[in-house]
Amino acid sequence: MDGRGVDVVGLGVAESHGIRRGVVVNLETAVDSIKKAIEEAELMAGVEIDAVHMALCGPHIKGFNSRGVIAVAGKNREITREDVRRAIDAAKAVSLPTGREILHVLPQDFVVDEQDGIGAPVGMTGARLEVNVHIITGSQSSTQNIVACVNRAGIAVAETIVEQLAASESVLTDDEKELGVALVDIGGGTTDIAIYAVGLRTPVPDAEKIKRKCGCALSGMVDEDDTMEVASVGGRKPRLMARRILSEILQPRAEEIFHLVWDEIRRAGYERSLNSGIVLTGGGAILDGMPEIAEQIFDLPIRRGCPAGVGGLADHVNSPTFATGVGLVLYGHRNSASERAAAGGGALVRVAGRLRGLFREFF
């Protein structure tokens, strides 16, 4: 890794045992899964890992908008970085329910006196500075439990990032962010696999393998004569089934996911702002037919989001499955590069505090 970019030199993949929907449900098995992934990555890379950037997800993650207002302190009324910091501090000075903590404060835009829609106010002149922010919060206990799992695997957590933000680092372009885009990360935290298993009367691990190998979310794309071999329970012999049956199970679940996503987008009032459309990422985005169903429901441009902007083993991580992992690396590198520049090219300084990197983006 250097100041010019990031090379992927190793990766580790393990089944996510002990964690359900982003929350630890069995600490010991979660630690074992983390150890396995880390050891595999270390072996491939030929280096020891002592700290990680970690993605957070799950139903405990929530967000809301806030606004901060300050009087510009400078004698000449020129807005400084310190003014921006004070405005953001004012915006995040909100009362939170017991047991919740702020994970990210994302500045959306600034207002200088009566002029709104300003992206970078530093250097401008004004008497009053306002900032609109989006605050993302999470459960302290849920975050502490997942951090504890990583620590018990012998690794420190340098920083935690909400999963969608991490994935956006690797799959979204600046133009898409500027024009308006929705990132839909369909990962292992959904309940789809459990439903597939019930529908096919097959063990969950086998159902997942069948979904990946034979699954298509749009039944109209599957030939009526296509068949697949399905494992049975209780030691019974595998059965041959029509592949279209699997699609008829997957399609309603895919449609349900996208309808829920669309409901959330409309509830937030951004259904007409997504000029770049929707980007699907996460393991669920790999499924054949997903973009086609998304196009039918959203009536917007749809693409699969694969990680970009890295070298090295780029071909090995060129899949929506690795969007969050690659995004975490890019996020950490971007922040550490800013640290080195601020320190005059000195040694790598680890990120201290969740908000520092976010503040730098607007200075």
Side-chain angles (χ1 to χ4, degrees), residues 195-196 199-200 214-220 222 224 228 241-255:
I195 294 171
Y196 304 156
L200 293 176
C214 304
C216 178
L218 192 58
S219 58
V222 179
E224 291 185 5
M228 60 185 182
M241 296 183 65
R243 188 173 166 225
R244 180 164 282 196
I245 292 176
L246 176 59
S247 289
E248 289 170 353
I249 295 171
L250 294 175
Q251 183 167 340
R253 301 288 75 74
E255 291 172 346

Side-chain angles (χ1 to χ4, degrees), residues 49-61:
I49 298 170
D50 59 1
V52 297
H53 283 71
M54 185 180 72
L56 297 175
C57 65
H60 70 96
I61 304 292

Side-chain angles (χ1 to χ4, degrees), residues 102-135:
I102 293 177
L103 301 174
H104 297 287
V105 178
L106 307 174
Q108 296 169 317
D109 68 343
F110 295 86
V111 180
V112 176
D113 292 343
E114 301 300 321
Q115 179 63 50
D116 59 8
I118 295 172
V122 174
M124 298 181 68
T125 300
R128 172 189 171 99
L129 176 66
E130 301 174 53
V131 61
N132 295 309
V133 303
H134 188 69
I135 296 177

Side-chain angles (χ1 to χ4, degrees), residues 8 37-38 43 51 83 91 150 152 172 223 231 239 282 343:
V8 176
I38 288 171
L43 184 63
D83 291 323
V150 177
R152 290 182 68 164
L172 296 184
D223 193 295
R239 297 160 288 147

Side-chain angles (χ1 to χ4, degrees), residues 278-340:
I278 307 281
V279 176
L280 305 180
T281 196
I286 301 172
L287 199 63
D288 287 345
M290 290 293 269
E292 288 79 5
I293 288 181
E295 285 178 356
Q296 293 176 7
I297 291 173
F298 297 125
D299 193 24
L300 288 168
I302 306 291
R303 74 172 179 89
R304 286 189 178 97
C306 294
V310 295
L313 301 174
D315 290 345
H316 288 72
V317 295
N318 186 30
S319 164
T321 303
F322 296 107
T324 298
V326 173
L328 287 169
V329 173
L330 291 172
Y331 181 95
H333 177 257
R334 174 166 58 84
N335 286 342
S336 63
S338 298
E339 290 279 2
R340 289 196 299 271

Side-chain angles (χ1 to χ4, degrees), residues 197 201-208 231-233:
R201 303 192 316 280
T202 188
V204 171
D206 293 296
E208 173 66 4
S232 296
V233 294

Side-chain angles (χ1 to χ4, degrees), residues 22-24 54 56-57 59-62 96-103 136-149 160 354:
V23 176
V24 177
M54 185 180 72
L56 297 175
C57 65
H60 70 96
I61 304 292
K62 300 184 185 302
L96 294 178
T98 303
R100 297 197 67 78
E101 62 179 338
I102 293 177
L103 301 174
I136 301 176
T137 69
S139 160
Q140 288 178 333
S141 60
S142 295
T143 301
Q144 288 167 358
N145 284 333
I146 192 72
V147 169
C149 288
T160 55
R354 294 190 175 115

